[in-house]
Amino acid sequence: MMEEIIIPNTIVEIGNGAFLNAYDLQSLTIPASVVTIGNTAFRACYSLEFFSVNEDSSYFSSVDGVLYNEDQSILIRYPQAKTTTEFIIPLSVVIVREDAFANNFFLSSIIITENVTTLNDHAFYNCSSLTSMIIPDNVTSIGIYLFRESAIQDVTLGAGLSEISSYMFYSCNQLETIIIPDNIDSIGYAAFDGCSSLTSIIITRPSSSGLITGAVFMFINTNLQLKIYFPDQGTLDLYKLETYWSSYKEKFEVYSS
């Protein structure tokens, strides 16, 4: 059992899966020699509380135990066992990397600030206390499995997004309602697969602005009582003719405010 690891200064790369399932690891010190860290290097490190980076590093840094690249424009990893319940992403951050907050069981609030443009794959995977999130208008790119198996119940999709990515809400069992705003052009493969409590999808975009492109299995394994609401009858009728939407036509209704 190793609770603390100080990586030797002869190491230049921490590869994908390097510390996979290091359940007892609590703190990790990264030397200045490391130039590359894989996206999934720290997956399933459930006891990890703190990252420390040698101050001479030209590639990485840490603030309050959170791991960033050198200029803190990329948030690489938030420790899975860090017990703070709210985190405001620093204004320096532009990119939230793959797995960045995955498997953190304590965070109930993550505030995405005004310079973030990209949320990568699995960024909030299995965040079991994270119940709500506002994705602001400045975010323009999102990865697959973004909220996979998280506790998300309420999410606001900003005007900068054009898609709901594949598996974005995979097995989000507490999600009951979602509003899909006018700026969304497509819904990815199995985007809501396994959302067993999802009973209401509200589409605000009228057919005059174009139909949202669907995908295979986008609403598979959702609640049997699921209703998909449209702004008017004409829009509803057009979706009935669309390949990937027509299989859900018995769930269609016109939304009445």
Side-chain angles (χ1 to χ4, degrees):
M1 181 173 68
M2 299 186 68
E3 296 181 352
E4 179 182 4
I5 293 178
I6 300 174
I7 298 174
N9 60 12
T10 55
I11 301 298
V12 297
E13 178 181 4
I14 302 173
N16 284 329
F19 292 94
L20 178 66
N21 298 332
Y23 300 130
D24 298 314
L25 179 63
Q26 294 180 8
S27 68
L28 185 72
T29 300
I30 299 170
S33 58
V34 171
V35 300
T36 303
I37 297 176
N39 286 336
T40 60
F42 311 110
R43 183 169 286 181
C45 293
Y46 296 120
S47 300
L48 186 59
E49 300 173 354
F50 199 87
F51 288 99
S52 178
V53 177
N54 186 290
E55 62 182 12
D56 293 328
S57 176
S58 299
Y59 297 93
F60 302 103
S61 62
S62 64
V63 178
D64 295 329
V66 180
L67 181 63
Y68 302 88
N69 69 332
E70 188 273 334
D71 66 359
Q72 294 162 31
S73 62
I74 301 174
L75 194 159
I76 297 172
R77 200 63 163 95
Y78 187 95
Q80 292 160 67
K82 188 175 174 67
T83 58
T84 307
T85 58
E86 179 180 275
F87 182 71
I88 300 173
I89 295 176
L91 289 171
S92 59
V93 173
V94 177
I95 296 171
V96 174
R97 218 167 81 164
E98 180 176 345
D99 271 24
F101 293 92
N103 294 311
N104 181 281
F105 303 145
F106 301 97
L107 283 169
S108 59
S109 174
I110 299 172
I111 297 174
I112 301 173
T113 44
E114 61 196 54
N115 294 314
V116 175
T117 63
T118 304
L119 304 172
N120 277 305
D121 301 351
H122 301 94
F124 309 109
Y125 163 52
N126 199 29
C127 288
S128 59
S129 295
L130 184 65
T131 57
S132 65
M133 178 170 285
I134 296 172
I135 299 178
D137 295 348
N138 43 280
V139 174
T140 57
S141 177
I142 54 174
I144 63 173
Y145 289 109
L146 190 67
F147 292 105
R148 175 186 173 187
E149 297 175 33
S150 72
I152 202 77
Q153 298 174 22
D154 181 25
V155 60
T156 299
L157 304 175
L161 298 178
S162 61
E163 67 167 347
I164 293 176
S165 59
S166 295
Y167 297 105
M168 183 171 176
F169 296 100
Y170 179 81
S171 288
C172 289
N173 294 323
Q174 297 184 50
L175 182 67
E176 296 181 1
T177 299
I178 188 163
I179 297 173
I180 300 178
D182 292 8
N183 48 284
I184 298 298
D185 295 323
S186 64
I187 298 175
Y189 181 91
F192 295 93
D193 183 2
C195 291
S196 58
S197 298
L198 186 62
T199 56
S200 180
I201 296 173
I202 300 170
I203 294 172
T204 63
R205 178 172 171 166
S207 57
S208 58
S209 298
L211 302 187
I212 297 171
T213 302
V216 176
F217 302 137
M218 56 185 171
F219 304 127
I220 195 171
N221 298 321
T222 52
N223 193 288
L224 293 175
Q225 304 304 314
L226 174 67
K227 296 295 182 183
I228 303 171
Y229 295 97
F230 297 92
D232 56 70
Q233 187 64 46
T235 298
L236 183 153
D237 290 340
L238 287 174
Y239 274 98
K240 283 184 176 180
L241 303 175
E242 290 296 300
T243 302
Y244 296 120
W245 289 89
S246 60
S247 57
Y248 302 101
K249 61 186 177 183
E250 74 281 357
K251 301 179 180 295
F252 290 1
E253 290 190 10
V254 174
Y255 179 73
S256 57
S257 56

